[in-house]
Amino acid sequence: GNRRDDTGRIVEVPDEIRTIRLIRRLRARGWPIARIALELTAKGIPTKKGGSWRVSTVHRLLRNPTSNNPCT
């Protein structure tokens, strides 16, 4: 959701913020983590590193306290 720019300032990455919010919405609706990973990959939404989604990636993102509020 956030990255440092060339000057070291933290800036938002809108696509990543949208993805984090989608993941949280789907999980709140009761979707299993594996289904969320499959859905993101099927929709062609890349991970932060540009790869396919794995259960461990979604799980880590959901447990990461800094992604609880993707705008901070």
Side-chain angles (χ1 to χ4, degrees):
N2 300 316
R3 293 193 187 172
R4 293 201 181 267
D5 67 9
D6 294 338
T7 65
R9 293 182 314 162
I10 296 175
V11 295
E12 293 180 354
V13 181
D15 288 341
E16 291 178 11
I17 290 171
R18 279 191 291 278
T19 301
I20 291 167
R21 288 180 178 155
L22 174 60
I23 290 168
R24 295 204 174 280
R25 256 193 329 270
L26 296 175
R27 188 67 175 146
R29 291 180 187 160
W31 283 39
I33 293 173
R35 183 175 172 201
I36 294 170
L38 288 171
E39 181 73 10
L40 294 170
T41 299
K43 287 186 173 199
I45 299 172
T47 63
K48 190 172 194 170
K49 294 181 180 179
S52 296
W53 288 90
R54 297 175 185 243
V55 171
S56 60
T57 308
V58 175
H59 187 259
R60 188 171 41 252
L61 184 110
L62 287 168
R63 291 180 48 91
N64 183 346
T66 61
S67 69
N68 285 333
N69 182 357
C71 295
T72 59

